[in-house]
């Protein structure tokens, strides 16, 4: 991976990550393909709405279909028919989300599989071996996502173990020529001193990129933004910065203003399957009766395939009948909305008018609410 910083507007950055499989313009949003598929979308659909990188989940792909199946396809790209870059999560989020099914130790994490109850073991070394087998372009360090709330002492114990795991994983990943590059994950909860200690440790290890983990797990917006305000000025400018799991449009905009380059979230795809559709003025519920006879698109002026060809009335009809096409068309729109947002943000940074863009963004929402 090569990262080039192309423009700045205050702390906001316009950049480009270059891989053998193509470039990713940043700030960028990654659609989430947990099981090797972005739900309801083909790879051609994703390329059509402008996606340049997707996310896969190591833990879930390990459970199903299993690494041997993916190895037989020479990696995740061929298995899922996606020719562009892929980032794989390490499985560390499952350390947090499956807390009731795990046993945590310095060695790693013992799980009971949520699929069949079978015993599963994840360690920094095993996570790296799994991600190497997947052949992802960006692999993520194996860590513990510190729960919220956590006292400073609790967060310190968690963070320092994650840093020991980061060193072990880094050594394992680079034992031989790796298929991609490895990002470290800054932990430390909402405690500024711990975040800086974590960042310093990761820099000493020598990761090619850095993520901010352990946010969007229950903390308030002000706490999350406070962490970013304190941490990001200390992060190296020549490395990409990834804010994990944060995905409301306004959260993305606020994080970009503070210097984040890369995002992922299940929100646009999950919302689509639940009939919640993004527009510039807010989220609409296509199930509401007001859309019964609406012959216009989800959003006037939207260039997505769905809005060019289908009415809100038709989308409501599909949803009420449980038709699969409804989930597909809703997902096309929501992911297009997110990719358009990133295109506009990048253009605003280059033009030196991100503050003005943000004001317009919030004014539209406020006007609709009023």
């Amino acid at each position: 991976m090569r990262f080039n910083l192309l423009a700045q507007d205050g702390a906001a950055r316009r950049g480009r990550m270059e891989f053998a499989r193509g470039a990713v313009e940043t700030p960028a949003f990654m659609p989430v393909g947990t099981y090797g598929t972005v739900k309801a979308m083909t790879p051609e659909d994703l390329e059509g709405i402008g996606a340049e990188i997707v996310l896969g989940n190591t833990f879930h792909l390990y459970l199903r279909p299993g690494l041997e199946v993916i190895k037989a396809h020479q990696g995740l790209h061929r298995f899922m028919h996606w020719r562009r870059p892929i980032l794989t999560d390490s499985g560390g989020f499952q350390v947090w989300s499956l807390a009731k099914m795990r046993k945590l130790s310095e060695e790693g994490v013992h799980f009971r599989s949520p699929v069949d109850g079978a015993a599963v073991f994840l360690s920094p070394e095993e996570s790296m071996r799994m991600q190497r087998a997947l052949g992802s372009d960006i692999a993520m360090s194996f860590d513990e996502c510190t729960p919220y709330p956590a006292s400073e002492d609790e967060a310190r114990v968690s963070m320092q173990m994650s840093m020991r795991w980061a060193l072990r994983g880094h050594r394992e990943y680079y034992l031989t020529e790796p298929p991609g590059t490895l990002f470290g994950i800054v932990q430390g909860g909402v405690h500024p001193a711990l975040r800086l200690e974590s960042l310093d440790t990761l820099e000493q290890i020598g990761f090619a990129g850095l993520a901010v983990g352990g946010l969007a797990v229950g903390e308030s917006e002000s706490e999350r933004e406070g962490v970013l305000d304190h941490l990001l000025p200390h992060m190296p400018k020549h490395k990409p910065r990834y804010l994990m799991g944060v995905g409301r449009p306004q959260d993305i905009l606020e994080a970009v203003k503070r210097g984040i380059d890369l995002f992922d979230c299940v929100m646009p795809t999950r919302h689509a399957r639940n009939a919640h559709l993004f527009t510039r003025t807010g989220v609409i519920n296509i199930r509401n009766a007001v859309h019964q006879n609406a012959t216009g698109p989800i959003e006037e002026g939207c260039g997505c395939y769905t809005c060019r060809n289908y009415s809100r009335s038709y989308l409501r009809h599909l949803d009420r009948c449980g038709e699969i096409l409804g989930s597909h068309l809703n997902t096309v729109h929501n992911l297009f909305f997110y990719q358009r947002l990133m295109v506009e943000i990048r253009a605003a940074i280059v033009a030196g008018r991100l503050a003005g863009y943000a004001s317009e963004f919030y004014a539209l929402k406020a006007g609709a609410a009023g």
Side-chain angles (χ1 to χ4, degrees), residues 280-341:
R280 293 182 186 275
T281 56
V283 178
I284 67 170
N285 185 345
I286 204 67
R287 293 173 182 167
N288 289 344
V290 68
H291 305 297
Q292 171 68 36
N293 298 310
T295 58
I298 299 166
E299 182 175 34
E300 294 291 345
C302 175
C304 80
Y305 172 82
T306 303
C307 286
R308 293 199 315 269
N309 295 285
Y310 299 99
S311 68
R312 282 174 284 154
S313 176
Y314 182 67
L315 295 173
R316 184 174 187 269
H317 162 70
L318 293 178
D319 182 79
R320 286 174 62 82
C321 295
E323 287 290 343
I324 295 171
L325 179 60
S327 290
H328 169 67
L329 294 176
N330 291 350
T331 305
V332 167
H333 171 79
N334 276 359
L335 286 178
F336 181 91
F337 178 91
Y338 269 67
Q339 294 302 327
R340 183 183 64 187
L341 173 69

Side-chain angles (χ1 to χ4, degrees), residues 214-235:
L215 294 178
V217 293
E219 79 284 349
S220 66
E221 286 183 40
S222 61
E223 286 175 312
R224 178 167 64 251
E225 291 171 1
V227 168
L228 298 179
D229 285 336
H230 184 81
L231 175 64
L232 289 174
H234 298 277
M235 295 183 77

Side-chain angles (χ1 to χ4, degrees), residues 38-69:
V38 176
K39 287 181 171 60
M41 298 285 281
T42 68
E44 289 79 10
D45 292 329
L46 291 168
E47 290 189 3
I49 56 96
E52 295 174 330
I53 181 172
V54 299
L55 180 147
N57 186 277
T58 299
F59 176 72
H60 289 295
L61 289 167
Y62 169 76
L63 296 180
R64 291 182 297 187
L67 296 183
E68 292 307 314
V69 173

Side-chain angles (χ1 to χ4, degrees), residues 222-273:
S222 61
E223 286 175 312
R224 178 167 64 251
E225 291 171 1
V227 168
L228 298 179
D229 285 336
H230 184 81
L231 175 64
L232 289 174
H234 298 277
M235 295 183 77
K237 291 185 176 181
H238 63 286
K239 296 181 180 182
R241 305 162 177 175
Y242 165 30
L243 180 57
M244 305 179 75
V246 171
R248 292 190 309 167
Q250 58 266 40
D251 295 332
I252 289 174
L253 181 54
E254 289 303 317
V256 166
K257 286 164 61 177
R258 290 163 169 81
I260 292 290
D261 306 305
L262 194 59
F263 301 87
D264 80 283
C265 190
V266 299
M267 183 173 286
T269 49
R270 181 175 290 168
H271 268 34
R273 298 193 303 278

Side-chain angles (χ1 to χ4, degrees), residues 57-94:
N57 186 277
T58 299
F59 176 72
H60 289 295
L61 289 167
Y62 169 76
L63 296 180
R64 291 182 297 187
L67 296 183
E68 292 307 314
V69 173
I70 296 174
K71 284 180 183 177
H73 291 78
Q74 298 179 297
L76 183 57
H77 292 83
R78 289 191 179 183
F79 182 61
M80 65 181 285
H81 177 52
W82 174 253
R83 62 182 182 176
R84 296 177 183 271
I86 295 174
L87 179 148
T88 47
D89 193 0
S90 66
F93 183 75
Q94 281 67 46

Side-chain angles (χ1 to χ4, degrees), residues 347-365:
I349 293 172
V350 171
R353 61 170 308 272
L354 185 61
Y357 176 83
S359 296
E360 294 162 7
F361 175 90
Y362 290 119
L364 277 171
K365 290 186 179 296

